[in-house]
Amino acid sequence: MAHTSSDEHRRFDLLNGETSANPSISACLRVGDHDGPPPLPELLISDAGRREAHGRLVWDPDHRRHGRGSRFFSVAAVRLDLKPDGECLFSVGTGDYIRFATSPFRWVEKVQVAAAAGTDAPGRALQWDWLELTFRSADGTTETRPSSCLPKVVTDARVRRAAHATNVGAPPRQQFAEISTGTRDVVEVSLRGQVTLRANDAAAGASPLGPEDLLGRILVFTDAPARRGR
Amino acid sequence: MKLLLRNRQAPGDVLMLTAAVRDLHRAHPGEYRTAVDTTCRELWENNPFVTVPFTGWEPDRVIDCQYPLVHDANRRPFHFIHGFVQDLERKLGVTIPIGPFRGDVYLSDAERHAPSPVAEAGHDGAYWVMVAGGKHDFTAKWWDPESYQAVVDHFAGKIRFVQCGGRDDWHPPLRGVVNLVGKTDVRELIRVIYHADGVVCPVTFAMHLAAAVPPRPGAPPLRPCVVIAGGREPAHWEMYPGHQFLHTVGALDCCAAGGCWKSRCQPVGDGESRDADLCVKPVTVRGGVQVGKCMTMITPAKVIDAIELYYQGGALALPAPERPVPAVHVRHDAPSHDGVAVTIGVGRYAEMAGLAARELGERTGLRTAVIGDREFAGSGLEAPPFLKFRLFDLVDSDNVLFFDADMVCLAEWDPRPYFGSGAIACVRERMVPVVLRESPQWGVPPEEHFNTGLFVASRRHHAAWLRRAEALRHERPTALYDQLPLNGARCELGIPLKLLDRRHNWIGFGSSSLSHDVPVFMAHRLAPDRQHLNVEYFKGRYQLFEPKLAPDEDSTARLRGRYFAIHDGRGGRRVLFFRDDGTLLPPAPPEQEGYWFVHTVRGRPTLALASERQVLHQFVRVLSGAWVATAAGTADPARDGPRLIEQRELTRPPPDNGHGPAITEETARAAADDFIRHIPPYPTGRFSGRGIVVCGGGEKYFPCAWVCIRMLRHVGCDLPVELWHLGDAELPRRWREMVEPYGVTCVDAETVRRRHPVRRLSGWEMKPYALLHCAFEEVLFIDADNVAVRDPAYLFDSRPFHRHGAVFWPDFERLAPERAIWRVCGVPYRDEPEVESGQILLDKRRCWGPLQLTMHLNEHSDFYYHYVHGDKETFHMAWRMLGRDYAMVPHPIRQLEGTMCQHDFRGRRLFQHRNLAKWTVRGENAKVRGFRYEDACLRFLGELISADHLPASQLPLPHGVAGAVAGVDDGSVVQPCNAH
């Protein structure tokens, strides 16, 4: 049946749970760990062929100075550019781009931007404050759309469940925005956003912050065939 | 004698030939055996005077029938019916007395007893035929389609119209009619007319049929017919007995000596000579269509009056209102507050519907029911959503909460308060393109278009609505299945709405973070096009986070029904009305401010303006009373961001203010009619002379009024001026003493009100009140923020004023036909400019009635201002409600920054209305490029500041005023009074 909500070809959905499998490009930001072992970089970008590149940054110098149990707070700009020849640029904060080459593709099908928590420990929050995507079509036209879906995850947030729900699972640890291009004409995508990460705020109590307690993910799905493993 | 009569003309011509054949045979019985060879042979079916020629039948004489008498039609007293008769008389050499005054059409018994094609199309009951178009190459007979529509709209719910016409002709589809255009052959059209109560048409085949088709048993012997004829043909040539023939012959110079007989208002390009002989007074109407001026002079009101004549005289009677059909299994002992929540679950939707019903039952405490495959299979309907039309046939309850199967009840709420109400409780639809595009076609104001995924209806009030919606569905296709028929039927039947805020039916849930953050009661899918998520949710495999927004219901309740001006910080200003359901008027596209709500942020009420998907602005209230934008939750009054300023003069009064009953959409026209009946006669002797009225008190408007009055004197105007204000506080003594030396009489409206009570009198209401009660008989009203650039006294001597007694000036826009105000006021739509009421010229003696009615509309501003912007269209509507004409200056506004320049009838600038750039003594007076006498105005403003003894140390001198206050010549040059 026709529905008045089906008016736009670019679709923005806000969903809880698991993102789709086999993205063509996966860009990830996380709390990270400078001191290892092994040291886990804060930024990581990989493709379906499991090639990857990484980058480092200091999220919160106070947190770094005072240790994992201290308050953690950071706000950073996020940039991701993906071109049809497979060139991918990823940057967080004031750090320079990480350059990455993946398989060429013909069109972008969708982008998922996720806020995830790798722990149930209370007081972890990651919020995408702002997201804007620019789609370039094969004919050279561009379209910039702010996202009405701004994923966030708060580890001790309460959830809504159906009154008669049975087999209730654990609360979701991830929320993501799915932006579907809706056509096969998008050959290039640029994402600009801002992300806030918080942990160990005084009110929530403190606990050591793990390197993957807070994760931000950008997954891009293109028409390039997914390759599994190396 | 065996005759073969031939004619290859139009059906209407052939129909007139039937009369000649009848009269020939009646005058000379047995002398002729007549066969015919004509177009439109169906007209001869069942005709007893016509012989069907068999093989070998040879006529003794073949006659090509003509009616040359038409060439004398303008000067000789003959009807078309004489045309063929005289031709036959001449060619046969016999005398043929004219018989019955109509063509000769016969129906077979089968045709008489068969249901009308209208009933066969599923529409029972009485109807009129409407032919709202004509041949493409005969445009001189066209009438404005919007005028036809206005007639249909006027009789909505009373008279059903069936639109008929040829498939290949021009018949723009009308709204709210049964559309049979292109669906009837000649014999079917004859049957349609046989069963019709009447016919509305131009001079066309249907007009001749209306007279020729015999009346059905019990019907008036002369079938009612209203003919919109204009000035093309002389009335005596075309008019039948019993017809209301609306013509203009003799009224225009182009038909001063009779019908013009032009065929076209624009060239068709078919090579016909008629392309070179066009209507000399074509008028372009909506859609670029050109019609003759003579046709536009026949207004919808005249057609409506002509139709009503048949009812007023008793020839016809309006049908009784439709009664709801008793539902199957009605439980008579059911208390009216009882109700059932119902959804439709057919096929693959069955599981989801069952789960949704169980969830809703748990959260609302209502019994639930699912209409499923069995009911759908037995319904004969094409699609499950149409089962909504049969709710009261299928459900054993007097009250129903209907909800779509793809809705999820996320939180507890109680629908019971809406049970048994005459209003349909529902949620307004989003202002998406398909809604904006299709609503007007169904006569539905977009701001009243509701989403039919959820509604509360009662059998007693709404069973007929559902039946009417089902009938409408057959009449025209729509991409929105049941939604437009349900909305269209509601509007057609005038059923009120109880709009709930969108938490009760969040369409597009899951497409924004806002939808997750707001505590929504009913989500319309958990994500667009992902119905499976609903099932996952019901089964516990999908969860949502708790909403984070905390609605402040008390603060929300306080702001309902109020007006705010939003200042965007860049000089722009718009007035928004906060509707009870959390939507804003005027309605906005999905990406703009369309909703409002108050929530608590860090313990503080925070007013949010939101689009469909996100909060766009947030405001907190500061000590001045203004709402200032917040940034990151912190109010920063110094920040140059958006502000909301309440328009208190527009705020609805509390219901218990003792100022009399509020009216509703249902009672508005009746209340106005009652008021009209009791308008007192003009109080001769109470008013006299000419003068000017200005309303302007208080710190905001007095400086404007001061400049206005000083400029009037500056340009040489010596007319007396009344300055109206509300109470002493608005015009303290020092201000009165300042203006009175300029020939100004200050009038306290509160004092006048004691003698002439009025229900509401605050802001805009004061304008008609001052006009009504000022001392002048001929009065020019000028808004305080308006500046005359020449002495306007000559307007009183202008011809348009003498002719009409009322002069209005045009606004930028025209009221769209879908605006509810037309319906509310019972005024047929007119394509004409809105009134910009910054200046009004009236002769009260001649305009006493419409001015009184304007006051009535304004003293019910708590109702009417929802439909129009302030007072301006109340003048327009009042004049039209009473069928009164007015003069409107034909020159459009010239727009300057924040200023509207209005002109006199010669196109010379006369007024500069600084509606968005008001003079101020406490802020900056922006320079307006092109504004005449600006330096003089600023100098007057400076004089006010100096003379008013305002402590300069506390008063930031307005920009541009400093020089004047300090006595410095700023170089401005005052133009001569009559400069252009």
Side-chain angles (χ1 to χ4, degrees):
Chain A
M1 174 181 172
H3 195 283
T4 55
S5 62
S6 309
D7 284 337
E8 301 172 6
H9 60 286
R10 310 268 191 249
R11 276 256 314 276
F12 291 77
D13 291 345
L14 188 65
L15 301 162
N16 295 337
E18 295 303 312
T19 51
S20 304
N22 300 318
S24 305
I25 287 288
S26 171
C28 173
L29 55 91
R30 59 189 173 191
V31 173
D33 184 357
H34 275 258
D35 302 323
L40 293 176
E42 286 76 23
L43 312 181
L44 182 71
I45 186 164
S46 62
D47 68 1
R50 296 295 184 265
R51 290 167 294 193
E52 64 179 48
H54 63 264
R56 308 226 51 143
L57 60 81
V58 175
W59 286 109
D60 180 349
D62 275 350
H63 176 75
R64 192 173 182 203
R65 186 163 61 137
H66 296 301
R68 292 192 171 278
S70 66
R71 185 167 184 261
F72 177 84
F73 174 73
S74 190
V75 179
V78 178
R79 299 173 176 83
L80 179 80
D81 292 339
L82 180 61
K83 296 188 174 179
D85 62 2
E87 182 189 18
C88 184
L89 303 175
F90 180 45
S91 162
V92 176
T94 57
D96 201 356
Y97 280 114
I98 304 169
R99 292 179 180 275
F100 185 74
T102 185
S103 306
F105 60 91
R106 290 177 296 174
W107 65 80
V108 176
E109 291 177 346
K110 66 181 178 184
V111 178
Q112 293 181 339
V113 181
T119 177
D120 291 329
R124 297 339 186 208
L126 187 146
Q127 157 101 50
W128 288 91
D129 304 309
W130 171 67
L131 278 171
E132 185 178 271
L133 289 101
T134 299
F135 304 103
R136 192 172 72 80
S137 299
D139 63 3
T141 58
T142 60
E143 177 188 358
T144 299
R145 296 285 300 270
S147 173
S148 54
C149 298
L150 300 170
K152 64 174 178 291
V153 66
V154 180
T155 51
D156 41 3
R158 296 168 60 192
V159 295
R160 283 181 279 186
R161 297 190 181 99
H164 288 281
T166 55
N167 302 319
V168 175
R173 282 187 181 175
Q174 179 168 265
Q175 186 174 67
F176 64 98
E178 179 174 294
I179 301 99
S180 305
T181 59
T183 61
R184 291 185 168 185
D185 66 340
V186 174
V187 298
E188 190 174 322
V189 65
S190 293
L191 179 147
R192 298 292 180 267
Q194 177 182 294
V195 67
T196 297
L197 296 81
R198 285 188 291 115
N200 291 337
D201 283 344
S207 60
L209 181 62
E212 296 195 308
D213 276 8
L214 293 172
L215 294 159
R217 291 197 183 100
I218 305 168
L219 312 176
V220 184
F221 298 80
T222 70
D223 69 307
R227 284 175 287 175
R228 297 174 188 281
R230 291 171 188 267
Chain B
M1 180 185 289
K2 289 188 287 187
L3 292 177
L4 177 61
L5 305 183
R6 298 196 301 202
N7 182 281
R8 312 306 299 174
Q9 290 179 286
D13 301 303
V14 175
L15 184 50
M16 295 317 298
L17 182 58
T18 64
V21 170
R22 175 197 61 205
D23 295 343
L24 171 67
H25 281 261
R26 284 188 175 181
H28 306 279
E31 292 185 27
Y32 298 98
R33 293 173 64 191
T34 305
V36 292
D37 175 14
T38 69
T39 53
C40 203
R41 292 194 55 81
E42 299 93 327
L43 283 173
W44 300 100
E45 287 185 20
N46 312 309
N47 191 314
F49 304 114
V50 171
T51 296
V52 177
F54 48 86
T55 306
W57 190 89
E58 289 294 333
D60 298 319
R61 184 160 179 194
V62 177
I63 297 176
D64 287 317
C65 298
Q66 299 167 327
Y67 53 97
L69 187 62
V70 68
H71 303 301
D72 293 331
N74 273 341
R75 59 184 183 85
R76 299 182 65 194
F78 289 104
H79 187 272
F80 193 173
I81 202 166
H82 295 94
F84 285 115
V85 167
Q86 285 200 5
D87 188 49
L88 281 178
E89 282 181 328
R90 186 171 53 82
K91 289 173 177 170
L92 291 171
V94 297
T95 300
I96 307 174
I98 296 294
F101 202 161
R102 58 180 175 82
D104 205 33
V105 170
Y106 295 86
L107 280 80
S108 68
D109 284 346
E111 285 177 320
R112 288 175 189 270
H113 294 113
S116 81
V118 180
E120 288 170 352
H123 305 280
D124 296 328
Y127 60 85
W128 279 59
V129 167
M130 179 172 274
V131 177
K135 296 186 182 75
H136 286 283
D137 61 349
F138 236 94
T139 61
K141 293 184 178 182
W142 291 1
W143 198 39
D144 184 354
E146 289 300 329
S147 296
Y148 281 110
Q149 187 64 56
V151 174
V152 172
D153 293 345
H154 176 85
F155 289 108
K158 297 176 183 171
I159 297 176
R160 172 177 292 160
F161 288 93
V162 176
Q163 187 181 5
C164 294
R167 180 184 292 108
D168 298 327
D169 296 338
W170 182 77
H171 293 281
L174 302 174
R175 302 180 297 277
V177 300
V178 178
N179 192 329
L180 293 186
V181 172
K183 298 174 184 172
T184 54
D185 59 25
V186 170
R187 295 309 300 184
E188 287 170 332
L189 179 60
I190 289 171
R191 285 168 52 214
V192 168
I193 289 179
Y194 176 70
H195 289 279
D197 276 354
V199 176
V200 178
C201 60
V203 175
T204 189
F205 181 41
M207 176 192 77
H208 296 293
L209 278 179
V213 174
R216 69 180 188 280
L222 299 175
R223 177 174 289 102
C225 182
V226 176
V227 182
I228 302 151
R232 183 176 185 272
E233 290 149 80
H236 61 265
W237 178 258
E238 297 286 2
M239 181 178 167
Y240 287 97
H243 285 195
Q244 306 300 314
F245 195 87
L246 308 178
H247 72 96
T248 59
V249 174
L252 291 158
D253 54 7
C254 50
C255 53
C260 72
W261 292 103
K262 306 280 188 189
S263 301
R264 299 177 179 183
C265 294
Q266 60 255 300
V268 175
D270 56 0
E272 291 257 355
S273 60
R274 289 178 290 188
D275 258 5
D277 186 25
L278 300 175
C279 168
V280 296
K281 292 185 187 297
V283 175
T284 302
V285 297
R286 188 169 291 264
V289 173
Q290 286 194 317
V291 301
K293 181 178 179 181
C294 58
M295 295 297 275
T296 66
M297 291 169 67
I298 299 169
T299 62
K302 290 174 179 167
V303 175
I304 289 165
D305 286 347
I307 294 172
E308 288 184 335
L309 200 63
Y310 293 108
Y311 293 93
Q312 291 164 358
L316 296 174
L318 286 171
E322 289 186 358
R323 294 192 313 184
V325 171
V328 179
H329 308 307
V330 176
R331 195 177 60 231
H332 294 288
D333 59 345
S336 63
H337 61 269
D338 188 29
V340 175
V342 183
T343 190
I344 297 167
V346 173
R348 63 190 177 91
Y349 285 87
E351 181 190 21
M352 184 168 64
L355 293 169
R358 186 178 67 172
E359 186 73 13
L360 186 130
E362 179 71 23
R363 302 275 190 196
T364 63
L366 293 179
R367 291 180 296 132
T368 60
V370 178
I371 300 172
D373 291 320
R374 190 164 54 93
E375 290 82 4
F376 178 57
S379 71
L381 294 167
E382 301 99 302
F386 299 144
L387 286 164
K388 292 183 199 179
F389 302 136
R390 311 269 178 92
L391 279 181
F392 289 115
D393 298 330
L394 297 167
V395 177
D396 183 16
S397 177
D398 286 345
N399 299 300
V400 166
L401 163 65
F402 177 82
F403 65 103
D404 275 353
D406 57 351
M407 299 191 81
V408 177
C409 186
L410 293 173
E412 293 184 359
W413 67 292
D414 187 4
R416 289 176 184 79
Y418 311 115
F419 286 160
S421 166
I424 300 164
C426 52
V427 174
R428 199 205 67 180
E429 181 55 273
R430 305 178 309 162
M431 297 294 98
V432 292
V434 66
V435 170
L436 297 174
R437 187 174 60 246
E438 294 216 20
S439 293
Q441 297 170 20
W442 288 73
V444 179
E447 68 271 20
E448 295 179 18
H449 185 133
F450 70 97
N451 180 278
T452 54
L454 179 141
F455 58 84
V456 180
S458 71
R459 182 187 304 278
R460 183 159 63 96
H461 299 292
H462 305 129
W465 164 55
L466 296 183
R467 289 200 309 125
R468 179 62 187 140
E470 181 165 7
L472 277 181
R473 182 187 73 81
H474 291 289
E475 292 178 13
R476 69 190 88 154
T478 164
L480 294 180
Y481 278 63
D482 58 286
Q483 183 150 313
L484 277 163
L486 285 167
N487 274 277
R490 183 200 75 79
C491 290
E492 185 180 309
L493 300 177
I495 297 172
L497 289 180
K498 167 62 182 173
L499 289 176
L500 310 175
D501 74 66
R502 63 170 162 168
R503 287 177 297 172
H504 297 83
N505 177 4
W506 195 295
I507 314 147
F509 187 94
S511 64
S512 68
S513 291
L514 180 62
S515 64
H516 281 231
D517 289 341
V518 170
V520 169
F521 302 122
M522 299 290 290
H524 208 139
R525 301 180 189 172
L526 291 183
D529 295 337
R530 294 175 194 261
Q531 290 94 321
H532 71 281
L533 271 189
N534 293 13
V535 175
E536 297 293 295
Y537 175 82
F538 294 133
K539 293 185 174 179
R541 294 195 290 260
Y542 187 79
Q543 301 171 55
L544 297 167
F545 294 111
E546 282 285 336
K548 72 171 190 179
L549 279 171
D552 181 341
E553 305 288 3
D554 291 340
S555 297
T556 299
R558 279 196 290 275
L559 295 184
R560 283 186 181 130
R562 298 195 182 192
Y563 288 86
F564 285 86
I566 179 168
H567 300 255
D568 62 14
R570 301 184 301 275
R573 174 185 179 274
R574 287 179 296 133
V575 174
L576 301 174
F577 176 66
F578 284 26
R579 294 217 290 182
D580 289 0
D581 67 338
T583 60
L584 292 168
L585 288 181
E591 66 279 6
Q592 295 179 11
E593 301 92 343
Y595 299 90
W596 70 277
F597 59 90
V598 184
H599 63 125
T600 304
V601 178
R602 295 184 179 85
R604 190 170 189 184
T606 302
L607 171 58
L609 299 186
S611 66
E612 283 295 336
R613 293 179 174 168
Q614 54 191 327
V615 171
L616 300 176
H617 307 291
Q618 297 211 84
F619 304 88
V620 293
R621 195 165 191 179
V622 294
L623 287 177
S624 70
W627 293 78
V628 299
T630 62
T634 303
D636 181 5
R639 193 166 161 266
D640 200 18
R643 283 174 177 246
L644 276 178
I645 310 291
E646 184 172 358
Q647 307 296 287
R648 287 186 178 277
E649 67 273 23
L650 300 182
T651 305
R652 282 191 295 186
D656 59 347
N657 67 353
H659 290 166
I663 59 177
T664 67
E665 198 165 303
E666 290 71 42
T667 63
R669 179 64 212 214
D673 288 339
D674 185 58
F675 179 86
I676 291 166
R677 281 192 291 274
H678 295 94
I679 290 176
Y682 178 76
T684 303
R686 181 178 157 198
F687 310 114
S688 63
R690 295 172 174 176
I692 293 174
V693 165
V694 178
C695 296
E699 191 174 284
K700 181 176 181 181
Y701 287 102
F702 179 73
C704 298
W706 166 259
V707 174
C708 171
I709 291 164
R710 291 297 308 275
M711 274 302 298
L712 281 168
R713 301 306 182 222
H714 183 74
V715 296
C717 177
D718 57 5
L719 287 168
V721 174
E722 285 189 3
L723 176 60
W724 282 63
H725 60 100
L726 262 173
D728 288 340
E730 271 204 356
L731 201 70
R733 182 177 171 183
R734 69 179 191 282
W735 283 351
R736 288 202 302 273
E737 290 175 347
M738 284 178 66
V739 293
E740 283 168 352
Y742 291 95
V744 174
T745 302
C746 299
V747 182
D748 184 351
E750 292 290 8
T751 304
V752 179
R753 189 179 191 174
R754 287 195 277 275
R755 281 180 283 124
H756 301 284
V758 62
R759 181 171 173 270
R760 288 176 58 78
L761 188 63
S762 49
W764 283 320
E765 299 93 338
M766 183 111 119
K767 291 165 66 170
Y769 190 76
L771 274 164
L772 198 57
H773 298 293
C774 70
F776 315 119
E777 182 164 284
E778 294 181 332
V779 53
L780 171 65
F781 174 89
I782 309 178
D783 266 356
D785 52 1
N786 203 348
V787 166
V789 297
R790 66 184 72 245
D791 179 2
Y794 67 96
L795 289 173
F796 289 102
D797 296 317
S798 63
R799 282 186 61 190
F801 180 64
H802 281 175
R803 184 169 179 190
H804 297 279
V807 177
F808 296 128
W809 275 258
D811 207 339
F812 292 108
E813 305 290 341
R814 291 164 179 256
L815 279 175
E818 61 270 21
R819 290 284 293 269
I821 191 64
W822 298 110
R823 186 180 70 252
V824 167
C825 291
V827 175
Y829 166 70
R830 304 171 68 110
D831 184 14
E832 58 193 9
E834 294 180 19
V835 169
E836 194 272 291
S837 60
Q839 52 286 305
I840 292 169
L841 184 65
L842 293 182
D843 177 347
K844 291 200 296 196
R845 176 184 294 276
R846 287 194 285 163
C847 299
W848 187 244
L851 182 57
Q852 287 272 0
L853 182 57
T854 305
M855 190 65 244
H856 165 78
L857 302 183
N858 280 273
E859 70 176 339
H860 289 91
S861 57
D862 48 337
F863 172 76
Y864 284 101
Y865 287 4
H866 292 187
Y867 297 88
V868 292
H869 182 69
D871 63 292
K872 53 196 242 40
E873 288 307 284
T874 59
F875 290 93
H876 182 185
M877 285 296 128
W879 257 252
R880 293 312 186 202
M881 287 167 83
L882 290 171
R884 295 289 295 272
D885 283 333
Y886 52 76
M888 177 164 277
V889 170
H891 305 285
I893 295 172
R894 185 186 170 204
Q895 190 173 13
L896 306 178
E897 185 73 25
T899 301
M900 299 181 289
C901 296
Q902 295 283 15
H903 305 82
D904 63 12
F905 284 94
R906 291 172 55 191
R908 298 177 302 177
R909 186 183 298 184
L910 181 51
F911 298 108
Q912 301 179 140
H913 186 179
R914 291 178 72 115
N915 58 319
L916 298 179
K918 291 179 170 52
W919 307 112
T920 177
V921 294
R922 290 195 181 275
E924 185 170 308
N925 289 285
K927 282 274 188 182
V928 175
R929 184 188 295 270
F931 190 95
R932 296 176 189 166
Y933 296 110
E934 190 167 45
D935 291 334
C937 293
L938 289 170
R939 191 153 42 237
F940 297 139
L941 201 58
E943 289 175 13
L944 170 67
I945 293 170
S946 298
D948 194 28
H949 308 298
L950 292 172
S953 60
Q954 297 175 19
L955 186 67
L957 289 179
H959 173 78
V961 175
V965 173
V968 175
D969 184 351
D970 63 0
S972 65
V973 177
V974 177
Q975 298 295 319
C977 294
N978 289 321
H980 288 203

